[in-house]
Amino acid sequence: LNPWDVMLCVSGTAIACENALVVAIICYSPALRTPMFVLVGSLATADLLAGLGLILNFIFQYVIRSETVSLLTVGFLVASFAASVSSLLAITVDRYLSLYNALTYYSERTVLCIHTMLAGAWGISLCLGLLPVLGWNCLHDRAACSIVRPLTKSNVTLLSASFFLIFLIMLHLYIEICKIVCRHAHQIALQQHFLTASHYVATKKGVSTLAIILGTFGASWLPFAIYCVVGDPDYPSVYTYATLLPATYNSMINPIIYAYRNQEIQRSMWVLFCGCFQAKVSFRSRSPSDV
């Protein structure tokens, strides 16, 4: 057994378990049906599928050796991780809208916008996953292979370019969110004639949280995306594994950042496992900017 494959399988198992719990909680709790939690559920579903894909890839690699199965597994992983990254972008857009259009955020138009974003994200991800299966692979042309067989160099370049675009969009949106947060704090200071320590701490905490979210996302995926562009299939495979493994950790960290830190989900976990609260307990409606 390749120890790197074992680590990927272990990572996939942890990812699947974490995100399966999040999906179960959101499906179980009627109070968690707001647009914000629909996006978190989409992210958890994508990461859950990615974790299952890593497990299946390990099984099929050592139990069932087949080119067709290899294509299907790689396509499944591409679609799952693409849906995960796209869901992160959708969450970022939702957080921006909740601050930029705070007065009209809780409207049917917002719900329609979010459902449209999710439909587009999953549709594009599915198309990206189908490309290797439909013939965009290097099974019959080894010279066209990328560092991730059986994906071609052009296919991997397309995926990397898509990631860089999403990362830049998220970076821009988070900078705008920071500006809005700082502007709100300044307006409160003008109304109260001074900026209280609590307002300063809250603003600093909010900006730090955004920096951690974006930094975690970039640190996880940027090394692999860059290596996909500059790497060569003749390089030792350890380089591919060493950059791919941290990318999978992003799906392991996402539930902690976007789900388990949320008070409503924490409460629903107690309802689901311990019954410490009544199932019909009332929840305080929160906006994505609070999460």
Side-chain angles (χ1 to χ4, degrees):
L1 292 177
N2 186 335
W4 288 101
D5 290 330
V6 174
M7 285 190 288
L8 285 175
C9 183
V10 172
S11 177
T13 303
I15 291 169
C17 292
E18 277 186 299
N19 289 281
L21 179 58
V22 176
V23 173
I25 291 172
I26 293 177
C27 292
Y28 172 81
S29 306
L32 304 181
R33 302 293 167 79
T34 61
M36 176 182 65
F37 289 110
V38 170
L39 291 171
V40 174
S42 172
L43 175 63
T45 301
D47 287 333
L48 169 60
L49 294 177
L52 293 176
L54 290 172
I55 298 173
L56 292 175
N57 181 66
F58 178 82
I59 295 174
F60 292 140
Q61 186 173 354
Y62 289 97
V63 179
I64 304 175
R65 293 182 177 274
S66 169
E67 290 184 348
T68 302
V69 172
S70 176
L71 284 176
L72 291 174
T73 305
V74 170
F76 185 79
L77 283 171
V78 169
S80 301
F81 281 118
S84 175
V85 173
S86 300
S87 296
L88 287 174
L89 175 61
I91 290 176
T92 306
V93 173
D94 182 56
R95 286 182 169 181
Y96 173 74
L97 292 177
S98 70
L99 291 171
Y100 185 76
N101 295 323
L103 297 178
T104 60
Y105 176 77
Y106 295 98
S107 64
E108 294 183 359
R109 182 178 179 181
T110 300
V111 176
L112 178 61
C113 177
I114 289 175
H115 288 167
T116 302
M117 281 195 302
L118 287 181
W122 281 92
I124 293 174
S125 300
L126 181 60
C127 291
L128 291 174
L130 286 175
L131 289 177
V133 181
L134 296 178
W136 203 1
N137 57 70
C138 63
L139 292 180
H140 304 292
D141 184 11
R142 297 294 180 180
C145 282
S146 66
I147 60 169
V148 183
R149 296 183 178 90
L151 299 181
T152 64
K153 295 178 182 178
S154 55
N155 192 348
V156 167
T157 301
L158 173 63
L159 295 174
S160 298
S162 301
F163 168 80
F164 291 136
L165 177 61
I166 290 176
F167 181 77
L168 290 176
I169 293 174
M170 290 179 62
L171 177 62
H172 172 72
L173 289 176
Y174 275 128
I175 291 175
E176 293 299 318
I177 289 174
C178 289
K179 290 180 179 179
I180 294 174
V181 170
C182 294
R183 186 162 61 246
H184 285 178
H186 181 67
Q187 291 173 349
I188 293 174
L190 290 178
Q191 292 175 0
Q192 299 181 353
H193 303 294
F194 62 93
L195 183 62
T196 63
S198 61
H199 289 145
Y200 174 77
V201 172
T203 303
K204 184 178 179 179
K205 181 180 178 181
V207 174
S208 299
T209 301
L210 296 178
I212 292 173
I213 291 173
L214 191 63
T216 301
F217 176 64
S220 299
W221 277 105
L222 275 176
F224 181 67
I226 294 174
Y227 185 65
C228 284
V229 177
V230 303
D232 189 273
D234 294 330
Y235 292 169
S237 60
V238 64
Y239 296 154
T240 302
Y241 283 112
T243 53
L244 176 60
L245 191 62
T248 65
Y249 290 160
N250 186 242
S251 295
M252 196 183 302
I253 297 172
N254 284 338
I256 300 173
I257 295 178
Y258 296 97
Y260 294 133
R261 292 174 60 251
N262 183 272
Q263 292 182 1
E264 282 84 350
I265 289 184
Q266 292 175 3
R267 209 171 195 181
S268 295
M269 288 177 64
W270 285 106
V271 173
L272 182 61
F273 292 109
C274 303
C276 298
F277 299 94
Q278 294 295 325
K280 295 183 179 180
V281 67
S282 60
F283 291 85
R284 181 173 67 88
S285 177
R286 304 174 77 197
S287 71
S289 58
D290 297 325
V291 180

